[in-house]
Amino acid sequence: MRISYFIRTVLFITVSQTSSLHAQVTLGGQLRTRAEFRNGTGTLRPINNDPAFFLSQRTRLSFG
């Protein structure tokens, strides 16, 4: 058991010293809000309908 642990440790140290890999992590995101006022755009608004106002949001997270 101790010998296998020793061999794994030596291999890990050897591999970590010989490899020159560099990790690069990027993290990005977007936050988009949109306000909209609907009051019969494109069509005639019926008399009994009230106009509508609302906000919508889109959130995007990117990881590479």
Side-chain angles (χ1 to χ4, degrees), residues 8-52:
R8 279 188 283 163
T9 305
V10 169
L11 285 174
F12 175 75
I13 291 171
T14 305
V15 169
S16 65
Q17 287 179 354
T18 59
S19 67
S20 62
L21 298 176
H22 299 284
Q24 184 176 358
V25 177
T26 58
L27 182 64
Q30 286 183 347
L31 178 65
R32 293 187 178 189
T33 56
R34 177 180 167 186
E36 191 170 332
F37 180 71
R38 290 188 180 173
N39 193 14
T41 304
T43 62
L44 295 175
R45 182 175 61 96
I47 296 171
N48 58 354
N49 280 4
D50 292 331

